[in-house]
Amino acid sequence: MFEPITAISEAHPSQFSKPAIVGRQEQCMTIPLETAKQIVTEARFVARNRGFKPLTIVVLDAGGNVVAAEREDDSSTKRFEIAFAKAHGALALGMGTRALMSRAEQQPYFISAAASAIGGSLIPVPGGVLVRNADKALVGAVGVSGETSDNDEAAAIAGIEAVELVAQPD
């Protein structure tokens, strides 16, 4: 029988062995599954230690495919759709959702039309962060929802940077 993990903040995820692919990430043009899972684990770890509300975290590859997603216990309904739309919108327009928020304030008709053009999966508030490798090539995006937008973004950035990738929130 398996014993449930009850306290994620007791041990830092870096104490566990990391997948070998992380060390070769600069050669990858996408986010491998093990790396995506590590991004989620690290983002959750930071969120728990900072006292954030329960989060939902979605990691997309450069083609917009879901590589990993987790919804924490007690995360409210529809958080997956919001986190997905943050990551998807960032990928679709090539900028983090913090920059999209600024663009929405300046050009609301453009953001509305862009959201319609990509099927509605665009939420222009912080929490959707592009992921680049060491060579600055786009490899995916992370979307987080459940806390304030700034805290969602902070969790995404922490997860991305923990696996030695480059976070682009704007």
Side-chain angles (χ1 to χ4, degrees), residues 30 58-67 80 84 87-89 91-92 138-141:
T30 190
V58 176
V59 180
L60 305 180
D61 66 16
N65 302 297
V66 176
V67 181
F80 172 84
F84 175 84
H88 185 262
L91 275 176
L138 182 65
V139 295

Side-chain angles (χ1 to χ4, degrees), residues 8-144:
I8 194 166
S9 63
E10 289 179 10
H12 187 277
S14 66
Q15 294 175 342
F16 305 108
S17 61
K18 290 189 178 184
I21 194 75
V22 174
R24 297 183 288 123
Q25 189 66 42
E26 65 276 1
Q27 299 170 9
C28 296
M29 294 305 290
T30 190
I31 300 175
L33 175 60
E34 291 305 316
T35 301
K37 289 161 94 178
Q38 190 68 27
I39 290 170
V40 171
T41 298
E42 294 284 349
R44 289 183 62 208
F45 178 79
V46 167
R48 294 293 61 78
N49 284 334
R50 294 184 185 175
F52 291 179
K53 294 176 186 172
L55 301 178
T56 298
I57 303 162
V58 176
V59 180
L60 305 180
D61 66 16
N65 302 297
V66 176
V67 181
E70 282 192 21
R71 178 194 167 275
E72 292 185 313
D73 293 344
D74 298 324
S75 183
S76 60
T77 62
K78 299 298 181 181
R79 289 297 181 177
F80 172 84
E81 290 83 354
I82 295 168
F84 175 84
K86 286 180 179 184
H88 185 262
L91 275 176
L93 295 179
M95 62 184 79
T97 54
R98 180 169 294 279
L100 290 176
M101 181 176 71
S102 177
R103 186 105 185 243
E105 291 167 349
Q106 297 168 7
Q107 297 177 306
Y109 293 116
F110 171 77
I111 293 296
S112 177
S116 178
I118 63 172
S121 290
L122 184 155
I123 296 184
V125 297
V129 180
L130 293 175
V131 182
R132 296 191 179 274
N133 65 16
D135 296 327
K136 305 294 185 218
L138 182 65
V139 295
V142 175
V144 178

